[in-house]
Amino acid sequence: MKIAFIGGGNMATAMIGGLVQQGFSAQAVYVVEPAADKRAQLQAEFGVQTVTLEDALPETDVVVLAVKPQQLAEVARARATELAGRLVISIAAGIRMADLDRWLGGAARLVRVMPNTPALVRAGISGAWLGPKASEADRAMADRILQSTGQVVWVAEEGQIDAVTAISGSGPAYVFYFMESLTQAGEQLGLDATTARQLAYATFDGAIKLALGSTDDAATLRAKVTSKGGTTAAALNRMAELGVQAAIQAGAVAAQARAVELADELGQG
């Protein structure tokens, strides 16, 4: 399998690094990237082949569209003839498959993907939707590529990609927000910044490892560390009074709504 990436940004770099780390041949990976310094970096770090925007797209089995969403319409139209008949994976946020299909002239097999930033450390999770023109063999190829940066879930309908965006796409920021708040709380309680950060970060790391290694759901795990009348109960009761859980859920709903709005805006191109 040969793969071309159009765009050599952070997410493309993460995917390329994951593929190479898994033993995929760097010589079978091509990157279309306008910035000379970025091309040089990718060549030096991974040994992949790079081309400029003016060059013809190499013959490959798969093309990953990894440009900014605002640039995708222009890129897709310019490459439509070259992409005809190929498996095209779009990781551009907020671009509906129908719009991409229109820009490409309807001749490509499409997969729409919502990755997230932990892909940069091979700990990401991607939500993916298989287009109606793509086959189960295409799904297997896309799955192999996406697993280079972490886990993959395939959604039953394209609209669910907006929910994926709200939970895992934007989700790392929610976690960082909680970590930031917990660190600040430690400082307010008299800890120095380094100690507060170490305690907060290690707590998240340990809690996630505990949860992933347990058959219990999050609610059960929470109950197991909450003694009646204890310190944890006092904290959780106060958070409930302040509506923390409701605020998190409302935030995810707002993220989903914004994803729909962006798709409407970007799809007008």
Side-chain angles (χ1 to χ4, degrees):
M1 179 168 57
K2 293 182 178 180
I3 307 170
F5 289 82
I6 299 182
N10 287 339
M11 201 61 67
T13 299
M15 295 174 75
I16 293 165
L19 287 166
V20 172
Q21 191 176 65
Q22 290 180 5
F24 195 89
S25 173
Q27 290 300 301
V29 178
Y30 303 83
V31 185
V32 180
E33 169 56 48
D37 57 342
K38 186 63 178 180
R39 292 198 302 273
Q41 177 190 338
L42 291 166
Q43 289 172 338
E45 187 172 356
F46 303 116
V48 298
Q49 303 185 60
T50 62
V51 296
T52 69
L53 289 177
E54 291 73 30
D55 295 321
L57 191 65
E59 288 295 330
T60 61
D61 306 289
V62 185
V63 175
V64 180
L65 298 177
V67 300
K68 293 179 180 179
Q70 296 83 355
Q71 300 172 326
L72 190 55
E74 180 182 357
V75 170
R77 288 192 176 105
R79 299 282 183 177
T81 301
E82 294 175 291
L83 296 181
R86 301 197 207 192
L87 174 60
V88 176
I89 300 173
S90 171
I91 63 172
I95 302 296
R96 293 193 182 106
M97 193 172 288
D99 294 315
L100 178 56
D101 188 53
R102 172 167 52 87
W103 299 332
L104 290 172
R109 293 128 52 207
L110 303 178
V111 173
R112 181 182 171 188
V113 177
M114 182 67 231
N116 68 358
T117 54
L120 298 171
V121 292
R122 316 288 185 264
I125 185 164
S126 298
W129 162 247
L130 187 73
K133 298 174 188 175
S135 66
E136 287 303 313
D138 292 331
R139 185 200 298 268
M141 278 200 293
D143 204 68
R144 180 185 174 191
I145 294 168
L146 297 174
Q147 284 187 27
S148 67
T149 59
Q151 302 178 58
V152 185
V153 295
W154 290 87
V155 298
E157 56 187 56
E158 187 180 5
Q160 292 178 336
I161 290 290
D162 295 325
V164 171
T165 300
I167 302 304
S168 60
S170 299
Y174 315 157
V175 176
F176 298 147
Y177 188 50
F178 205 121
M179 293 168 70
E180 177 188 6
S181 299
L182 198 58
T183 300
Q184 291 172 346
E187 294 180 55
Q188 290 171 7
L189 295 172
L191 297 171
D192 64 82
T194 300
T195 301
R197 173 175 168 161
Q198 183 179 358
L199 288 168
Y201 285 26
T203 297
F204 268 83
D205 183 48
I208 289 298
K209 288 176 179 175
L210 179 61
L212 291 176
S214 174
T215 57
D216 292 332
D217 60 19
T220 301
L221 290 170
R222 172 178 53 77
K224 285 184 175 181
V225 297
T226 307
S227 301
K228 186 176 180 179
T231 58
T232 306
L236 292 175
N237 288 340
R238 183 59 176 145
M239 289 181 188
E241 290 173 1
L242 294 171
V244 172
Q245 187 177 64
I248 292 170
Q249 294 168 354
V253 171
Q256 181 190 36
R258 182 56 181 153
V260 173
E261 290 175 357
L262 286 172
D264 290 340
E265 294 169 11
L266 294 168
Q268 294 175 7

